[in-house]
Amino acid sequence: MPEKLSDRTVFTLVEVARSIQKTIAERYKSVYWVKAEMNKLNHYSHSGHCYPELVEKRQGQVIAEMRSVLWKADYQRIDRQFIETTKEPLKNGITILFQATISYDPVYGLTLRILDIDPVHALGELQREKLASINRLEEEGIFRANKSLAFPVVPKRLAVISVETSKGYADFLKILQHNPWGYHFEQTLFPALLQGDKSVQAISGQLERIAQQQDAYDVVAIIRGGGGDVGLSSYNHYLLASAIAQFPIPVLTGIGHSTNETVSEMVAYQNAITPSELADFLIQRFHRFAEPVNQAREIVIRKATQLVTQERDALNNQIRYFRLHSMHLVSGQRKALEYGAVRLGMVSKTRLRQGQQDIHHTAQTLRVAASSRCKGTWSNLQAMEKTTQLLDPRQVLRRGYSITRINGKALKSIESIREGDVIETVLAHGSITSKIDELKPLDNG
């Protein structure tokens, strides 16, 4: 009961809350369909319950916000319906049409209890997001930018954005590495989340990394396995589609589904339904280049074989002609040699006799000249011997001469000695050692 204070009626907080609770319970007895954006799902895995944050925006500004609750059983049922209908799980950031009751609790405040969500309406919202992305890309003139790039003749160096453990990625590698022609591809994996709210940022971030080293790669391949049980709405996101559309080298997609082509696939240079199909596309590109090369190789081999055969035949003809001509020439030369040998034999005998006579005469002349020369040389040698004997130092010493030495060297001038030096005087029959007391230079005056 309210409390009376002088002229005022005062209510407690719980009385006010209960009054509001009663009023809302009496006013909102029905179940209502409400449209709002689910800003956050707030799913708690330990309890299975969800506490979605619901908002309404106008021109980017939040004009209404309200709490809600989605109990575990209802969440599981609704999530299954979403996956079956939209191929997407219930998630953050989508506009939903939901059925709810309105209640007020003195502690937890105003709450909408969500009983059901129309997945068909959500599907329409996803389609509107997709169309909005397409229209924006068209208006900016970049929708076909990646498709207009020149595709490499041989797409050998691949930058692959995928999950390392993805089955689609494994299938992709298996087909490339075991192709029957033995074509060799070089793959560099850039790991990224490929589904959920964070996939847009993850894939875009890896595209930025690849762009910084774009010269190292021929194409980019975005590989994702799985089917319709995993969400694809992130591939309709404008930011991801824009990054692919404006990428400087061709982007190829193989994200594993057969319906509802996403915007990212539309703007990519080439879209394959599955990773395996994308691998086949790359192999065919290789084959498209290799086949003409192999054909040209066969033509070159065939032409070269023909040319070698023609040249061999021509060479054999030349050999046969050369052999016949050589035999004829050798036969003629043999006859000429035989005739020449006969003439040479006759001439040689005459010249031999004349030569023998000339040699005999020359030998006689040489003997006489040599004898005379030897006698003259002998006389000269005897005279030189006598002169040498007379000049022998021992003979000179015997005639009264001597040799003076200092330190074993012959002394020729007093300029090389000083007073007090010891000198040696060599005579014919001995030597004298002396000490110099006085030096007297020769007076030339």
Side-chain angles (χ1 to χ4, degrees):
M1 294 295 292
E3 183 179 354
K4 293 291 186 177
L5 293 176
S6 64
D7 58 344
R8 301 174 183 175
T9 302
V10 179
F11 298 91
T12 64
L13 182 61
V14 70
E15 289 175 331
V16 173
R18 286 174 178 170
S19 176
I20 295 173
Q21 183 181 34
K22 181 181 179 182
T23 302
I24 290 177
E26 292 176 351
R27 173 66 179 80
Y28 297 101
K29 295 179 180 180
S30 302
V31 175
Y32 301 91
W33 284 99
V34 182
K35 178 180 176 182
E37 179 181 334
M38 188 165 63
N39 188 44
K40 288 185 179 180
L41 178 61
N42 289 330
H43 175 248
Y44 290 86
S45 57
H46 64 279
S47 66
H49 304 316
C50 301
Y51 300 91
E53 294 180 6
L54 304 175
V55 298
E56 182 173 347
K57 298 178 182 178
R58 184 175 298 169
Q59 297 178 348
Q61 298 295 320
V62 176
I63 60 174
E65 183 174 0
M66 195 170 296
R67 296 173 63 254
S68 65
V69 61
L70 179 57
W71 301 124
K72 177 181 178 179
D74 294 330
Y75 166 70
Q76 292 176 342
R77 172 179 50 81
I78 293 170
D79 195 53
R80 284 195 302 270
Q81 292 175 350
F82 255 75
I83 292 174
E84 291 173 359
T85 304
T86 69
K87 313 304 179 187
E88 293 276 348
L90 197 60
K91 60 178 186 176
N92 299 339
I94 62 173
T95 299
I96 58 174
L97 181 63
F98 61 95
Q99 190 180 47
T101 59
I102 303 173
S103 63
Y104 180 83
D105 183 86
V107 176
Y108 299 106
L110 186 66
T111 301
L112 300 180
R113 180 193 168 187
I114 299 176
L115 303 176
D116 198 5
I117 300 177
D118 184 0
V120 176
H121 181 273
L123 183 63
E125 289 294 326
L126 292 174
Q127 185 64 22
R128 280 192 286 275
E129 180 186 2
K130 177 179 178 179
L131 293 176
S133 296
I134 293 173
N135 292 334
R136 184 173 176 182
L137 293 168
E138 291 278 12
E139 291 171 1
E140 294 175 356
I142 60 175
F143 188 84
R144 295 170 181 81
N146 196 258
K147 292 181 180 296
S148 65
L149 295 176
F151 199 82
V153 176
V154 180
K156 179 182 179 66
R157 303 168 302 167
L158 313 178
V160 182
I161 299 176
S162 187
V163 177
E164 188 173 7
T165 57
S166 166
K167 183 179 182 302
Y169 177 57
D171 293 342
F172 177 76
L173 291 184
K174 182 178 179 180
I175 292 174
L176 289 184
Q177 294 170 356
H178 297 88
N179 69 86
W181 298 278
Y183 301 144
H184 177 67
F185 294 85
E186 299 173 1
Q187 309 86 225
T188 302
L189 177 64
F190 291 83
L193 293 173
L194 299 179
Q195 63 189 55
D197 299 332
K198 297 181 180 180
S199 61
V200 173
Q201 182 179 357
I203 298 173
S204 299
Q206 293 294 43
L207 287 173
E208 290 178 6
R209 282 187 58 199
I210 297 169
Q212 293 172 0
Q213 45 186 321
Q214 59 179 302
D215 293 339
Y217 303 103
D218 298 318
V219 296
V220 176
I222 301 176
I223 304 297
R224 189 194 76 111
D229 58 336
V230 180
L232 290 169
S233 64
S234 57
Y235 295 91
N236 288 322
H237 199 287
Y238 166 78
L239 293 179
L240 177 57
S242 176
I244 293 174
Q246 299 181 83
F247 203 72
I249 61 176
V251 178
L252 316 176
T253 59
I255 58 177
H257 71 104
S258 58
T259 58
N260 298 325
E261 186 179 30
T262 64
V263 182
S264 292
E265 294 171 292
M266 292 177 181
V267 299
Y269 184 94
Q270 177 71 24
N271 165 40
I273 295 175
T274 63
S276 299
E277 182 181 302
L278 184 58
D280 289 334
F281 167 78
L282 291 169
I283 292 171
Q284 287 303 316
R285 283 286 185 164
F286 243 93
H287 199 59
R288 186 181 300 179
F289 170 79
E291 189 63 23
V293 171
N294 289 334
Q295 292 175 358
R297 174 176 172 272
E298 292 175 359
I299 293 172
V300 169
I301 292 174
R302 185 171 64 253
K303 293 292 184 182
T305 302
Q306 293 174 353
L307 183 60
V308 168
T309 301
Q310 293 172 0
E311 292 298 322
R312 184 186 295 114
D313 293 342
L315 179 60
N316 290 334
N317 292 333
Q318 291 292 331
I319 291 173
R320 285 193 292 271
Y321 171 77
F322 178 76
R323 184 176 296 158
L324 293 174
H325 183 70
S326 297
M327 292 172 62
H328 178 71
L329 183 61
V330 168
S331 178
Q333 291 297 321
R334 183 182 293 114
K335 292 179 180 179
L337 286 172
E338 290 174 353
Y339 175 73
V342 173
R343 290 192 60 195
L344 181 61
M346 296 174 61
V347 173
S348 297
K349 290 180 180 179
T350 301
R351 290 186 177 180
L352 182 60
R353 286 193 296 270
Q354 183 64 43
Q356 289 175 342
Q357 293 175 1
D358 292 342
I359 291 171
H360 180 72
H361 176 71
T362 301
Q364 292 293 333
T365 303
L366 287 174
R367 279 195 294 270
V368 173
S371 178
S372 176
R373 187 70 175 266
C374 286
K375 290 179 180 179
T377 302
W378 177 252
S379 298
N380 290 337
L381 287 173
Q382 288 178 334
M384 291 174 65
E385 182 180 7
K386 290 179 180 180
T387 302
T388 301
Q389 291 174 352
L390 291 174
L391 293 175
D392 187 340
R394 290 176 292 183
Q395 295 296 330
V396 174
L397 292 175
R398 289 192 186 101
R399 292 200 295 272
Y401 293 95
S402 64
I403 300 174
T404 303
R405 294 175 177 168
I406 181 170
N407 297 326
K409 296 182 179 179
L411 186 61
K412 300 177 182 179
S413 170
I414 66 172
E415 295 176 356
S416 57
I417 59 174
R418 296 177 296 176
E419 293 179 358
D421 286 346
V422 177
I423 61 175
E424 179 187 16
T425 302
V426 180
L427 304 175
H429 300 288
S431 61
I432 302 170
T433 300
S434 308
K435 183 177 182 181
I436 299 173
D437 293 331
E438 183 180 1
L439 295 172
K440 291 183 179 181
L442 180 63
D443 187 3
N444 294 325

